[in-house]
Amino acid sequence: MVLAAGMGTRMRPLTDTRPKPLVAVAGKPLVDHVLDRLAGAGIDEAVVNVHHHADLMEAHLATRSGAPRIRVSDERTRLLETGGGTRKALDLLGDAPFVAINADTIWIEGVKPNIARLIEQFDPERMDALLLVAATALSIGYSGFGDFTMDGEGRLSRRPERVVSPFVYAGAGVFTPSLFDETPQGPFSLNLIFDRACEAGRLFGLRLEGVWMHVGTPEAIAEAETAIKRSSD
């Protein structure tokens, strides 16, 4: 599941004329960074939801060839947020655990590709969700307080108030479809799913190998491009 329907308000004015996933970083639209990463992990089919400048997104997706094969979940009439958009697409995603990834998340890989690591490490006997998390202090362009703490077994807990936590959600995870049972029909955030899995003790994290970059504003693009160039030198 590639979550590509958001408004990208913090990326204005660039997103006045295009969806945020079509903003280019290092010469390539963010969504292509994501789709190429999925293909590299052996994923041959992706569902992409669309809302903001949906026609532009669909036209761009139609220019791609090879893996992954793309199916579109249309949210033109109503933006459903990350959780509601994923719930709407469940009929296309099937009954097995699936990867969900933000179309605007980007990172510099470590030794082994992180999506492949997520898939390998997901254990449905212990987990309802396995999130890719990055080090709060080491992420480029991120100035928040983090999202989670992690115990020795990899189990995640929410950040206490007024505390900086070590890990931030890096925009990708593996999810069990049953987590979406009895969720709202309309818009809701994936945070509802995170909290549901956390309360059951079945929310786990996998630390990202490499460097995660938070490209939330036009100014952050240059910082990300500098980091990418430095990693390839």
Side-chain angles (χ1 to χ4, degrees), residues 53-137:
H53 292 298
D55 291 348
L56 291 178
M57 178 62 75
E58 286 193 303
H60 177 78
L61 295 174
T63 67
R64 289 185 56 92
S65 59
R69 183 173 66 258
I70 295 169
R71 303 173 74 181
V72 171
S73 180
D74 193 337
E75 295 179 28
R76 280 177 172 84
T77 59
R78 188 183 190 191
L79 180 60
L80 295 173
E81 300 183 33
T82 52
T86 304
R87 185 189 194 283
K88 181 180 186 293
L90 287 178
D91 287 345
L92 300 174
L93 292 166
D95 298 327
F98 59 90
V99 173
I101 183 168
N102 296 342
D104 59 0
T105 194
I106 186 170
W107 60 76
I108 298 167
E109 295 280 23
V111 175
K112 186 170 183 178
N114 286 289
I115 296 297
R117 293 177 58 234
L118 267 177
I119 293 169
E120 289 176 4
Q121 293 296 319
F122 181 74
D123 178 3
E125 296 298 318
R126 297 190 302 137
M127 305 171 185
D128 287 334
L130 176 63
L131 307 185
L132 189 65
V133 294
T136 301

Side-chain angles (χ1 to χ4, degrees), residues 28 121 142 152 154 180 186-187 196 203 228:
K28 184 162 70 172
Q121 293 296 319
Y142 180 75
F180 293 83
R196 178 174 288 191
L203 180 68
I228 292 170

Side-chain angles (χ1 to χ4, degrees), residues 22 33 37 41 51 60 65 68 103 126 130 137 148 173 178 182 188 196 207 223:
L22 291 189
H33 285 279
R37 191 154 282 155
H51 172 80
H60 177 78
S65 59
R126 297 190 302 137
L130 176 63
F148 300 104
S178 61
E182 300 179 10
F188 67 93
R196 178 174 288 191
R207 182 168 179 164
E223 191 174 0

Side-chain angles (χ1 to χ4, degrees), residues 24-27 33 106-108 140-141 211-213 215 218-233:
V25 174
H33 285 279
I106 186 170
W107 60 76
I108 298 167
I140 292 175
V211 181
W212 181 64
M213 296 172 286
V215 188
E219 294 75 22
I221 294 173
E223 191 174 0
E225 289 178 334
T226 296
I228 292 170
K229 184 177 186 302
R230 187 179 299 123
S231 71
S232 62
D233 287 345

